[in-house]
Amino acid sequence: TTIKKIKYEAGQMFTRVVTFSGAAALTSAYWYNNSALQNSSCLKTSFSSNPDSLSSSRNAICLLYPATESQTYGIVSFQQDNINSATKIVASVKNLNPNSVHGLLIHTKGDLTEGVKSLGEPYNHTAGASDNQADFYRFTGDLGNVKTNEKGEGYIAITHPYVKLFGEFNIYGRSCVIYSGENSPQSGLNSSEALAAGVIGNTDVFKSFPPSA
């Protein structure tokens, strides 16, 4: 796939030719002086060809803040190594009920102006992604369940094939919600009370609380 863009600079017209191959892997990107093109002499003035330009890992973070009267808080961290890899997700949540199970979901929006009500539906761009009961996820935003210890602290570390930090279906600007009850094993949805929520943002490095001793 080749995309061309036009710009004007110092009275001359330049054309940018960007070439992709495979899974949208960038193979070349050049600015050409149009007058040079007419003379079959192209001037390469931009960054060099790099087939691994979409392979640098990306990270995201979501700080969970208490909802309503809850005192629950936590952090959810995301890392995707490249555009084709599954995403590593680590969540650490505190002040939950001891020895209990709590569902964790990604929601479509990152709007907390009305609390959890304005976060929209659970995020799903791969409806029916998995019908395998052995899988912890049922759709994109289903991050499974967090089990707590006797102190009410929960920790999970998973990889998810449908959560993305690259491309048009990335999760930046969406949100995470931890619930008082577990996600449905059939649908992955959750109708229990939301205990804490936060907006997913960009970060340079992978950050997470370690599990409690």
Side-chain angles (χ1 to χ4, degrees), residues 180-211:
S180 61
E182 63 183 296
N183 290 346
S184 166
Q186 287 75 37
S187 67
L189 299 174
N190 201 310
S191 59
S192 63
E193 180 186 5
L195 298 178
V199 178
I200 301 169
N202 189 20
T203 183
D204 291 333
V205 297
F206 187 79
K207 301 175 181 179
S208 180
F209 298 148

PDB file of all heavy atoms in Angstrom, residues 180-211:
ATOM      1  N   SER A 180     -17.988  -4.994  42.184  1.00  0.00           N
ATOM      2  CA  SER A 180     -18.143  -5.682  43.469  1.00  0.00           C
ATOM      3  C   SER A 180     -18.324  -7.185  43.298  1.00  0.00           C
ATOM      4  O   SER A 180     -18.046  -7.959  44.212  1.00  0.00           O
ATOM      5  CB  SER A 180     -19.338  -5.108  44.243  1.00  0.00           C
ATOM      6  OG  SER A 180     -20.534  -5.284  43.502  1.00  0.00           O
ATOM      7  N   GLY A 181     -18.809  -7.612  42.129  1.00  0.00           N
ATOM      8  CA  GLY A 181     -19.004  -9.028  41.846  1.00  0.00           C
ATOM      9  C   GLY A 181     -18.179  -9.471  40.649  1.00  0.00           C
ATOM     10  O   GLY A 181     -17.540  -8.655  39.976  1.00  0.00           O
ATOM     11  N   GLU A 182     -18.191 -10.743  40.368  1.00  0.00           N
ATOM     12  CA  GLU A 182     -17.374 -11.276  39.279  1.00  0.00           C
ATOM     13  C   GLU A 182     -18.048 -11.109  37.923  1.00  0.00           C
ATOM     14  O   GLU A 182     -19.269 -10.960  37.825  1.00  0.00           O
ATOM     15  CB  GLU A 182     -17.069 -12.752  39.523  1.00  0.00           C
ATOM     16  CG  GLU A 182     -18.271 -13.669  39.551  1.00  0.00           C
ATOM     17  CD  GLU A 182     -17.870 -15.102  39.882  1.00  0.00           C
ATOM     18  OE1 GLU A 182     -17.127 -15.713  39.085  1.00  0.00           O
ATOM     19  OE2 GLU A 182     -18.307 -15.600  40.941  1.00  0.00           O
ATOM     20  N   ASN A 183     -17.233 -11.129  36.876  1.00  0.00           N
ATOM     21  CA  ASN A 183     -17.753 -11.092  35.515  1.00  0.00           C
ATOM     22  C   ASN A 183     -18.465 -12.401  35.197  1.00  0.00           C
ATOM     23  O   ASN A 183     -18.056 -13.471  35.664  1.00  0.00           O
ATOM     24  CB  ASN A 183     -16.623 -10.893  34.503  1.00  0.00           C
ATOM     25  CG  ASN A 183     -16.017  -9.506  34.568  1.00  0.00           C
ATOM     26  OD1 ASN A 183     -16.585  -8.594  35.175  1.00  0.00           O
ATOM     27  ND2 ASN A 183     -14.858  -9.336  33.949  1.00  0.00           N
ATOM     28  N   SER A 184     -19.512 -12.328  34.401  1.00  0.00           N
ATOM     29  CA  SER A 184     -20.265 -13.512  34.023  1.00  0.00           C
ATOM     30  C   SER A 184     -19.386 -14.477  33.227  1.00  0.00           C
ATOM     31  O   SER A 184     -18.735 -14.062  32.264  1.00  0.00           O
ATOM     32  CB  SER A 184     -21.472 -13.120  33.167  1.00  0.00           C
ATOM     33  OG  SER A 184     -22.027 -14.257  32.530  1.00  0.00           O
ATOM     34  N   PRO A 185     -19.349 -15.755  33.592  1.00  0.00           N
ATOM     35  CA  PRO A 185     -18.549 -16.716  32.829  1.00  0.00           C
ATOM     36  C   PRO A 185     -19.105 -16.950  31.426  1.00  0.00           C
ATOM     37  O   PRO A 185     -18.385 -17.421  30.546  1.00  0.00           O
ATOM     38  CB  PRO A 185     -18.612 -17.990  33.680  1.00  0.00           C
ATOM     39  CG  PRO A 185     -19.836 -17.829  34.520  1.00  0.00           C
ATOM     40  CD  PRO A 185     -19.984 -16.360  34.766  1.00  0.00           C
ATOM     41  N   GLN A 186     -20.382 -16.618  31.217  1.00  0.00           N
ATOM     42  CA  GLN A 186     -20.987 -16.805  29.902  1.00  0.00           C
ATOM     43  C   GLN A 186     -20.757 -15.599  28.983  1.00  0.00           C
ATOM     44  O   GLN A 186     -20.332 -15.746  27.843  1.00  0.00           O
ATOM     45  CB  GLN A 186     -22.494 -17.069  30.030  1.00  0.00           C
ATOM     46  CG  GLN A 186     -22.856 -18.434  30.561  1.00  0.00           C
ATOM     47  CD  GLN A 186     -22.629 -18.558  32.055  1.00  0.00           C
ATOM     48  OE1 GLN A 186     -22.856 -17.606  32.810  1.00  0.00           O
ATOM     49  NE2 GLN A 186     -22.185 -19.726  32.497  1.00  0.00           N
ATOM     50  N   SER A 187     -21.006 -14.396  29.489  1.00  0.00           N
ATOM     51  CA  SER A 187     -20.941 -13.201  28.644  1.00  0.00           C
ATOM     52  C   SER A 187     -19.727 -12.322  28.897  1.00  0.00           C
ATOM     53  O   SER A 187     -19.349 -11.514  28.051  1.00  0.00           O
ATOM     54  CB  SER A 187     -22.203 -12.360  28.856  1.00  0.00           C
ATOM     55  OG  SER A 187     -22.226 -11.829  30.179  1.00  0.00           O
ATOM     56  N   GLY A 188     -19.125 -12.455  30.074  1.00  0.00           N
ATOM     57  CA  GLY A 188     -18.031 -11.573  30.455  1.00  0.00           C
ATOM     58  C   GLY A 188     -18.507 -10.232  30.985  1.00  0.00           C
ATOM     59  O   GLY A 188     -17.694  -9.399  31.395  1.00  0.00           O
ATOM     60  N   LEU A 189     -19.801  -9.988  30.984  1.00  0.00           N
ATOM     61  CA  LEU A 189     -20.357  -8.720  31.464  1.00  0.00           C
ATOM     62  C   LEU A 189     -20.508  -8.730  32.979  1.00  0.00           C
ATOM     63  O   LEU A 189     -20.343  -9.766  33.635  1.00  0.00           O
ATOM     64  CB  LEU A 189     -21.702  -8.454  30.786  1.00  0.00           C
ATOM     65  CG  LEU A 189     -21.658  -8.322  29.261  1.00  0.00           C
ATOM     66  CD1 LEU A 189     -23.064  -8.202  28.692  1.00  0.00           C
ATOM     67  CD2 LEU A 189     -20.807  -7.126  28.843  1.00  0.00           C
ATOM     68  N   ASN A 190     -20.869  -7.566  33.532  1.00  0.00           N
ATOM     69  CA  ASN A 190     -20.974  -7.450  34.974  1.00  0.00           C
ATOM     70  C   ASN A 190     -22.093  -6.481  35.331  1.00  0.00           C
ATOM     71  O   ASN A 190     -22.096  -5.335  34.883  1.00  0.00           O
ATOM     72  CB  ASN A 190     -19.650  -6.953  35.562  1.00  0.00           C
ATOM     73  CG  ASN A 190     -19.499  -7.288  37.022  1.00  0.00           C
ATOM     74  OD1 ASN A 190     -20.397  -7.034  37.816  1.00  0.00           O
ATOM     75  ND2 ASN A 190     -18.356  -7.847  37.386  1.00  0.00           N
ATOM     76  N   SER A 191     -23.039  -6.946  36.130  1.00  0.00           N
ATOM     77  CA  SER A 191     -24.175  -6.108  36.522  1.00  0.00           C
ATOM     78  C   SER A 191     -24.092  -5.670  37.982  1.00  0.00           C
ATOM     79  O   SER A 191     -25.029  -5.065  38.505  1.00  0.00           O
ATOM     80  CB  SER A 191     -25.490  -6.868  36.296  1.00  0.00           C
ATOM     81  OG  SER A 191     -25.502  -8.076  37.050  1.00  0.00           O
ATOM     82  N   SER A 192     -22.982  -5.947  38.641  1.00  0.00           N
ATOM     83  CA  SER A 192     -22.844  -5.571  40.047  1.00  0.00           C
ATOM     84  C   SER A 192     -22.400  -4.112  40.174  1.00  0.00           C
ATOM     85  O   SER A 192     -22.205  -3.408  39.187  1.00  0.00           O
ATOM     86  CB  SER A 192     -21.853  -6.506  40.751  1.00  0.00           C
ATOM     87  OG  SER A 192     -20.563  -6.375  40.185  1.00  0.00           O
ATOM     88  N   GLU A 193     -22.202  -3.666  41.382  1.00  0.00           N
ATOM     89  CA  GLU A 193     -21.846  -2.276  41.654  1.00  0.00           C
ATOM     90  C   GLU A 193     -20.403  -1.980  41.253  1.00  0.00           C
ATOM     91  O   GLU A 193     -19.492  -2.777  41.491  1.00  0.00           O
ATOM     92  CB  GLU A 193     -22.020  -1.981  43.143  1.00  0.00           C
ATOM     93  CG  GLU A 193     -21.664  -0.551  43.536  1.00  0.00           C
ATOM     94  CD  GLU A 193     -21.716  -0.354  45.040  1.00  0.00           C
ATOM     95  OE1 GLU A 193     -21.939  -1.329  45.771  1.00  0.00           O
ATOM     96  OE2 GLU A 193     -21.509   0.803  45.480  1.00  0.00           O
ATOM     97  N   ALA A 194     -20.190  -0.820  40.631  1.00  0.00           N
ATOM     98  CA  ALA A 194     -18.834  -0.379  40.296  1.00  0.00           C
ATOM     99  C   ALA A 194     -18.167   0.181  41.554  1.00  0.00           C
ATOM    100  O   ALA A 194     -18.717   1.056  42.215  1.00  0.00           O
ATOM    101  CB  ALA A 194     -18.881   0.673  39.204  1.00  0.00           C
ATOM    102  N   LEU A 195     -16.971  -0.315  41.864  1.00  0.00           N
ATOM    103  CA  LEU A 195     -16.266   0.116  43.068  1.00  0.00           C
ATOM    104  C   LEU A 195     -15.215   1.178  42.801  1.00  0.00           C
ATOM    105  O   LEU A 195     -14.968   2.052  43.631  1.00  0.00           O
ATOM    106  CB  LEU A 195     -15.599  -1.095  43.735  1.00  0.00           C
ATOM    107  CG  LEU A 195     -16.531  -2.201  44.222  1.00  0.00           C
ATOM    108  CD1 LEU A 195     -15.722  -3.340  44.819  1.00  0.00           C
ATOM    109  CD2 LEU A 195     -17.535  -1.658  45.241  1.00  0.00           C
ATOM    110  N   ALA A 196     -14.561   1.105  41.641  1.00  0.00           N
ATOM    111  CA  ALA A 196     -13.520   2.071  41.304  1.00  0.00           C
ATOM    112  C   ALA A 196     -13.362   2.128  39.793  1.00  0.00           C
ATOM    113  O   ALA A 196     -13.636   1.150  39.095  1.00  0.00           O
ATOM    114  CB  ALA A 196     -12.196   1.704  41.965  1.00  0.00           C
ATOM    115  N   ALA A 197     -12.924   3.277  39.299  1.00  0.00           N
ATOM    116  CA  ALA A 197     -12.785   3.459  37.854  1.00  0.00           C
ATOM    117  C   ALA A 197     -11.703   4.487  37.567  1.00  0.00           C
ATOM    118  O   ALA A 197     -11.332   5.296  38.422  1.00  0.00           O
ATOM    119  CB  ALA A 197     -14.110   3.910  37.232  1.00  0.00           C
ATOM    120  N   GLY A 198     -11.200   4.467  36.336  1.00  0.00           N
ATOM    121  CA  GLY A 198     -10.201   5.440  35.919  1.00  0.00           C
ATOM    122  C   GLY A 198     -10.038   5.438  34.416  1.00  0.00           C
ATOM    123  O   GLY A 198     -10.486   4.521  33.730  1.00  0.00           O
ATOM    124  N   VAL A 199      -9.403   6.472  33.907  1.00  0.00           N
ATOM    125  CA  VAL A 199      -9.202   6.644  32.465  1.00  0.00           C
ATOM    126  C   VAL A 199      -7.833   6.088  32.073  1.00  0.00           C
ATOM    127  O   VAL A 199      -6.842   6.280  32.788  1.00  0.00           O
ATOM    128  CB  VAL A 199      -9.302   8.129  32.073  1.00  0.00           C
ATOM    129  CG1 VAL A 199      -9.033   8.321  30.586  1.00  0.00           C
ATOM    130  CG2 VAL A 199     -10.676   8.676  32.442  1.00  0.00           C
ATOM    131  N   ILE A 200      -7.769   5.410  30.949  1.00  0.00           N
ATOM    132  CA  ILE A 200      -6.529   4.820  30.443  1.00  0.00           C
ATOM    133  C   ILE A 200      -5.727   5.890  29.706  1.00  0.00           C
ATOM    134  O   ILE A 200      -6.209   6.499  28.755  1.00  0.00           O
ATOM    135  CB  ILE A 200      -6.825   3.642  29.503  1.00  0.00           C
ATOM    136  CG1 ILE A 200      -7.634   2.567  30.239  1.00  0.00           C
ATOM    137  CG2 ILE A 200      -5.522   3.055  28.957  1.00  0.00           C
ATOM    138  CD1 ILE A 200      -8.200   1.504  29.322  1.00  0.00           C
ATOM    139  N   GLY A 201      -4.514   6.122  30.149  1.00  0.00           N
ATOM    140  CA  GLY A 201      -3.666   7.140  29.536  1.00  0.00           C
ATOM    141  C   GLY A 201      -2.346   6.580  29.038  1.00  0.00           C
ATOM    142  O   GLY A 201      -1.971   5.437  29.336  1.00  0.00           O
ATOM    143  N   ASN A 202      -1.640   7.401  28.299  1.00  0.00           N
ATOM    144  CA  ASN A 202      -0.347   7.021  27.735  1.00  0.00           C
ATOM    145  C   ASN A 202       0.764   7.195  28.773  1.00  0.00           C
ATOM    146  O   ASN A 202       0.717   8.101  29.606  1.00  0.00           O
ATOM    147  CB  ASN A 202      -0.063   7.895  26.516  1.00  0.00           C
ATOM    148  CG  ASN A 202       1.157   7.432  25.747  1.00  0.00           C
ATOM    149  OD1 ASN A 202       1.580   6.290  25.871  1.00  0.00           O
ATOM    150  ND2 ASN A 202       1.710   8.318  24.942  1.00  0.00           N
ATOM    151  N   THR A 203       1.756   6.310  28.739  1.00  0.00           N
ATOM    152  CA  THR A 203       2.917   6.435  29.612  1.00  0.00           C
ATOM    153  C   THR A 203       4.137   5.877  28.894  1.00  0.00           C
ATOM    154  O   THR A 203       4.006   5.030  28.002  1.00  0.00           O
ATOM    155  CB  THR A 203       2.698   5.693  30.950  1.00  0.00           C
ATOM    156  OG1 THR A 203       3.831   5.898  31.802  1.00  0.00           O
ATOM    157  CG2 THR A 203       2.497   4.210  30.742  1.00  0.00           C
ATOM    158  N   ASP A 204       5.314   6.348  29.274  1.00  0.00           N
ATOM    159  CA  ASP A 204       6.540   5.931  28.596  1.00  0.00           C
ATOM    160  C   ASP A 204       7.029   4.562  29.042  1.00  0.00           C
ATOM    161  O   ASP A 204       7.689   3.856  28.287  1.00  0.00           O
ATOM    162  CB  ASP A 204       7.651   6.957  28.829  1.00  0.00           C
ATOM    163  CG  ASP A 204       7.387   8.271  28.117  1.00  0.00           C
ATOM    164  OD1 ASP A 204       6.690   8.257  27.079  1.00  0.00           O
ATOM    165  OD2 ASP A 204       7.873   9.302  28.601  1.00  0.00           O
ATOM    166  N   VAL A 205       6.736   4.202  30.285  1.00  0.00           N
ATOM    167  CA  VAL A 205       7.247   2.945  30.825  1.00  0.00           C
ATOM    168  C   VAL A 205       6.134   2.151  31.476  1.00  0.00           C
ATOM    169  O   VAL A 205       5.073   2.684  31.819  1.00  0.00           O
ATOM    170  CB  VAL A 205       8.366   3.199  31.868  1.00  0.00           C
ATOM    171  CG1 VAL A 205       9.552   3.874  31.212  1.00  0.00           C
ATOM    172  CG2 VAL A 205       7.858   4.060  33.020  1.00  0.00           C
ATOM    173  N   PHE A 206       6.371   0.869  31.642  1.00  0.00           N
ATOM    174  CA  PHE A 206       5.393  -0.005  32.271  1.00  0.00           C
ATOM    175  C   PHE A 206       5.470   0.165  33.779  1.00  0.00           C
ATOM    176  O   PHE A 206       6.531   0.015  34.378  1.00  0.00           O
ATOM    177  CB  PHE A 206       5.691  -1.454  31.895  1.00  0.00           C
ATOM    178  CG  PHE A 206       4.660  -2.441  32.335  1.00  0.00           C
ATOM    179  CD1 PHE A 206       3.474  -2.591  31.626  1.00  0.00           C
ATOM    180  CD2 PHE A 206       4.862  -3.221  33.470  1.00  0.00           C
ATOM    181  CE1 PHE A 206       2.519  -3.501  32.034  1.00  0.00           C
ATOM    182  CE2 PHE A 206       3.905  -4.126  33.874  1.00  0.00           C
ATOM    183  CZ  PHE A 206       2.732  -4.273  33.150  1.00  0.00           C
ATOM    184  N   LYS A 207       4.344   0.498  34.410  1.00  0.00           N
ATOM    185  CA  LYS A 207       4.314   0.767  35.834  1.00  0.00           C
ATOM    186  C   LYS A 207       3.254  -0.104  36.500  1.00  0.00           C
ATOM    187  O   LYS A 207       2.152  -0.240  35.997  1.00  0.00           O
ATOM    188  CB  LYS A 207       3.981   2.233  36.104  1.00  0.00           C
ATOM    189  CG  LYS A 207       4.965   3.224  35.490  1.00  0.00           C
ATOM    190  CD  LYS A 207       4.518   4.651  35.699  1.00  0.00           C
ATOM    191  CE  LYS A 207       5.471   5.637  35.065  1.00  0.00           C
ATOM    192  NZ  LYS A 207       5.041   7.030  35.248  1.00  0.00           N
ATOM    193  N   SER A 208       3.594  -0.655  37.655  1.00  0.00           N
ATOM    194  CA  SER A 208       2.607  -1.464  38.362  1.00  0.00           C
ATOM    195  C   SER A 208       3.035  -1.655  39.806  1.00  0.00           C
ATOM    196  O   SER A 208       4.219  -1.675  40.123  1.00  0.00           O
ATOM    197  CB  SER A 208       2.459  -2.835  37.695  1.00  0.00           C
ATOM    198  OG  SER A 208       1.496  -3.622  38.368  1.00  0.00           O
ATOM    199  N   PHE A 209       2.038  -1.797  40.696  1.00  0.00           N
ATOM    200  CA  PHE A 209       2.319  -2.176  42.068  1.00  0.00           C
ATOM    201  C   PHE A 209       2.688  -3.659  42.090  1.00  0.00           C
ATOM    202  O   PHE A 209       2.040  -4.455  41.421  1.00  0.00           O
ATOM    203  CB  PHE A 209       1.101  -1.965  42.976  1.00  0.00           C
ATOM    204  CG  PHE A 209       0.651  -0.543  43.083  1.00  0.00           C
ATOM    205  CD1 PHE A 209      -0.688  -0.243  43.260  1.00  0.00           C
ATOM    206  CD2 PHE A 209       1.548   0.501  43.031  1.00  0.00           C
ATOM    207  CE1 PHE A 209      -1.119   1.062  43.367  1.00  0.00           C
ATOM    208  CE2 PHE A 209       1.136   1.818  43.151  1.00  0.00           C
ATOM    209  CZ  PHE A 209      -0.214   2.088  43.318  1.00  0.00           C
ATOM    210  N   PRO A 210       3.671  -4.058  42.869  1.00  0.00           N
ATOM    211  CA  PRO A 210       3.950  -5.501  42.999  1.00  0.00           C
ATOM    212  C   PRO A 210       2.861  -6.155  43.837  1.00  0.00           C
ATOM    213  O   PRO A 210       2.196  -5.481  44.633  1.00  0.00           O
ATOM    214  CB  PRO A 210       5.303  -5.535  43.706  1.00  0.00           C
ATOM    215  CG  PRO A 210       5.334  -4.262  44.479  1.00  0.00           C
ATOM    216  CD  PRO A 210       4.607  -3.243  43.633  1.00  0.00           C
ATOM    217  N   PRO A 211       2.679  -7.468  43.692  1.00  0.00           N
ATOM    218  CA  PRO A 211       1.690  -8.152  44.552  1.00  0.00           C
ATOM    219  C   PRO A 211       2.120  -8.104  46.001  1.00  0.00           C
ATOM    220  O   PRO A 211       3.314  -8.065  46.321  1.00  0.00           O
ATOM    221  CB  PRO A 211       1.696  -9.585  44.007  1.00  0.00           C
ATOM    222  CG  PRO A 211       3.020  -9.733  43.341  1.00  0.00           C
ATOM    223  CD  PRO A 211       3.346  -8.375  42.783  1.00  0.00           C
TER     224      PRO A 211
END
